Amino acid sequence: MNETLSDRAARRARIVFDTFRSVHDPRLGAWLLFRSHFLPELSVTAGTLEGTPEAALTHLGVFGVWRLLATNNRELGRCARIFVSPRAAFDAAVAEQAREDEMTVTTVRGPHSTTHGWVVRRGDRPVLIAARWYESASEAAAAGRAASSALATAAIAQGVSIGTASGRRARVVMNTP
C-alpha cells in the first residue's frame, strides 16, 4: 500500500530550446508574425535582426528561443523574446521560472472575433505568449494561468534543437557559457 508513484505520474511540463539558423529561416518569420498579434510593440521582421553582432552568435545557431511544453509535448506557450543565442534563451528561462510569483496573465484579442490569446508579464515586461488561439477570452485566460503555473515547476531541458542545412532538426547538448 505504500508504493511510490511512478515517474510517469510525477511528470512535469518542460522548457525546451530551439534555434533559427538565419534571418531567412521561414520558421523565424512565422514566429515573429504570430508574436506580433500578441505584442505589436515588439513587431519586427526577420530583416531587423540582421544587425546582431557576430560575437553574440554561437556555433549552434543564430537565434534562440524557449517553449513551454505539456507532458504530452503539446506546446503551451512561447517565450516573448528572441535571444541572440540558445544560451541566452536558457539563462532567461531559468531567471523567469524563479520569478513566476511576480507574473500576471492578460488576454489578447486575435485577428478575428473568435481568436483570443494570452500574455504572461512580469511587471510591464512580456515573458510568455500563447502558442495557439482560443475561442473565448475566458478560455484563453484559464490557459494562460495554467501555463504560468506550469512554468514554475517545469523541467528545463539541457539540449537545444538546431536546424540543419537540409531543413531537418537535431537536438544537441547546450553549450556551456
Side-chain angles (χ1 to χ4, degrees), residues 21-43:
R21 298 295 287 175
S22 78
V23 296
H24 306 292
D25 187 329
R27 290 181 190 101
L28 175 59
W31 181 285
L32 293 171
L33 177 62
F34 186 71
R35 183 184 72 170
S36 71
H37 293 291
F38 295 88
L39 302 166
E41 69 274 16
L42 295 182
S43 288

Side-chain angles (χ1 to χ4, degrees), residues 13-82:
R14 295 179 303 129
I15 296 173
V16 297
F17 303 91
D18 291 306
T19 61
F20 301 112
R21 298 295 287 175
S22 78
V23 296
H24 306 292
D25 187 329
R27 290 181 190 101
L28 175 59
W31 181 285
L32 293 171
L33 177 62
F34 186 71
R35 183 184 72 170
S36 71
H37 293 291
F38 295 88
L39 302 166
E41 69 274 16
L42 295 182
S43 288
V44 295
T45 63
T48 307
L49 298 174
E50 287 195 57
T52 302
E54 190 72 26
L57 306 181
T58 70
H59 70 284
L60 292 178
V62 178
F63 302 104
V65 295
W66 57 271
R67 300 180 301 132
L68 180 65
L69 303 181
T71 57
N72 64 357
N73 289 328
R74 191 186 80 208
E75 189 176 23
L76 299 175
R78 301 173 175 186
C79 64
R81 294 180 45 216
I82 305 291

